[in-house]
Amino acid sequence: MKIIMLGAPGAGKGTQAKMIAEKYGIPHISTGDIFRANIKNGTQLGMEAKQYMDQGLLVPDELTVKILLDRVAREDCAGGYVLDGFPRTIPQAEVLDEALTAQNEKIDYAIDVDVPDENIVKRMSGRRACLKCGATYHLEHIPPRTEGICDSCGSGLVLRDDDRPETVLNRLKVYHDQTQPLIDYYSRKKILRTVDGTMDMQDVFHAITAILG
Ligand code: ADP
Ligand code: ADP
Ligand code: ZN
């Protein structure tokens, strides 16, 4: 099963994608996580991506598409995957579709996790991330067992640079301009499913598994 997660930054795509990946035994692929790992390791790609990410802008399609296509070509993706944060532009979606069509494959579902802008800034300021393993927490809604420490790997948790309120507003604007058009794109392909992302995490997951079966 091949699944795309759509939704504003902070809507809960990553949280749900991890749960989907575990339940269905498929890899969770986050382009944001791939970029952050590259930044942490000081690679050329990381240095280029960081310039855009810090401003709340999208990393250019040329860079992003190649990384994603390489990743989904790996063996662990043969049985499907859940994409979190890709595609974020119409050209990205078109390149993915072309690559899949060439192999007689297709995306099964695009799941839009719908959360109004008013809720987003609050979610982001409370988000704490583990840059080592990619786990995400929320100070109020989804706290770690020990304050400031990742449940999964024991590393320290941080407020991401791009989760500061000034940058979040830029990211929301970029989302509405460049990413939201994908909702129509997948709706026309009849694979769009929308879930109410304001519910609590388990209820959102329940709504998603009702769709995926
Ligand atoms: P969030 O989960 O909060 O939406 P991500 O971790 O998905 O954030 O992405 C963080 C940043 O990484 C984005 O703001 C953008 O700069 C960059 N990025 C991630 N995925 C893509 C993509 N598919 N295209 C362009 N830029 C991306
Ligand atoms: P995205 O990947 O869409 O940017 P995340 O999954 O990282 O979003 O979630 C953003 C923040 O909101 C995180 O701090 C996360 O712990 C929290 N969160 C996720 N789902 C919910 C939910 N259903 N209710 C409240 N907070 C949530
Ligand atoms: Zn961790």
Side-chain angles (χ1 to χ4, degrees):
M1 187 151 51
K2 298 188 187 67
I3 304 162
I4 287 172
M5 304 302 291
L6 294 176
K13 301 179 297 295
T15 301
Q16 296 299 327
K18 288 191 185 77
M19 294 160 85
I20 294 169
E22 191 168 330
K23 178 171 164 87
Y24 296 93
I26 51 179
H28 163 217
I29 300 177
S30 156
T31 38
D33 285 350
I34 295 173
F35 289 136
R36 280 184 291 277
N38 276 275
I39 292 173
K40 195 157 176 266
N41 295 327
T43 68
Q44 177 69 36
L45 169 69
M47 288 189 292
E48 277 183 62
K50 187 173 179 1
Q51 297 171 17
Y52 299 95
M53 291 168 75
D54 282 350
Q55 300 178 63
L57 300 174
L58 295 184
V59 177
D61 288 343
E62 306 80 74
L63 282 178
T64 310
V65 160
K66 185 177 176 319
I67 286 161
L68 190 278
L69 292 182
D70 285 351
R71 179 64 189 87
V72 297
R74 278 168 40 189
E75 206 171 319
D76 64 334
C77 289
Y81 42 77
V82 51
L83 300 185
D84 160 20
F86 186 100
R88 260 182 159 94
T89 65
I90 297 276
Q92 288 181 13
E94 289 172 346
V95 173
L96 177 63
D97 276 342
E98 283 161 24
L100 288 173
T101 304
Q103 297 168 324
N104 250 326
E105 292 173 11
K106 61 174 176 45
I107 297 293
D108 298 293
Y109 293 106
I111 297 181
D112 178 31
V113 183
D114 188 29
V115 174
D117 287 7
E118 305 86 86
N119 304 29
I120 293 289
V121 179
K122 211 164 159 255
R123 280 225 187 153
M124 303 293 248
S125 59
R127 171 156 68 181
R128 292 296 178 275
C130 173
L131 297 182
K132 182 151 187 226
C133 77
T136 305
Y137 304 86
H138 191 282
L139 291 181
E140 285 164 45
H141 308 299
I142 307 167
R145 284 193 295 268
T146 310
E147 199 185 316
I149 303 292
C150 178
D151 290 353
S152 324
C153 77
S155 299
L157 300 176
V158 298
L159 174 70
R160 275 166 44 183
D161 288 341
D162 61 344
D163 279 353
R164 296 175 197 285
E166 327 69 274
T167 316
V168 169
L169 294 177
N170 280 345
R171 290 166 66 197
L172 270 177
K173 183 175 185 317
V174 167
Y175 169 75
H176 289 299
D177 291 348
Q178 300 193 55
T179 306
Q180 208 170 22
L182 291 173
I183 292 179
D184 265 351
Y185 179 93
Y186 289 112
S187 170
R188 280 196 298 274
K189 293 187 182 287
K190 310 241 181 298
I191 58 170
L192 181 79
R193 302 289 184 275
T194 303
V195 296
D196 175 0
T198 64
M199 301 184 291
D200 84 35
M201 166 174 118
Q202 291 301 339
D203 291 338
V204 179
F205 188 55
H206 196 76
I208 292 175
T209 55
I211 293 164
L212 301 179

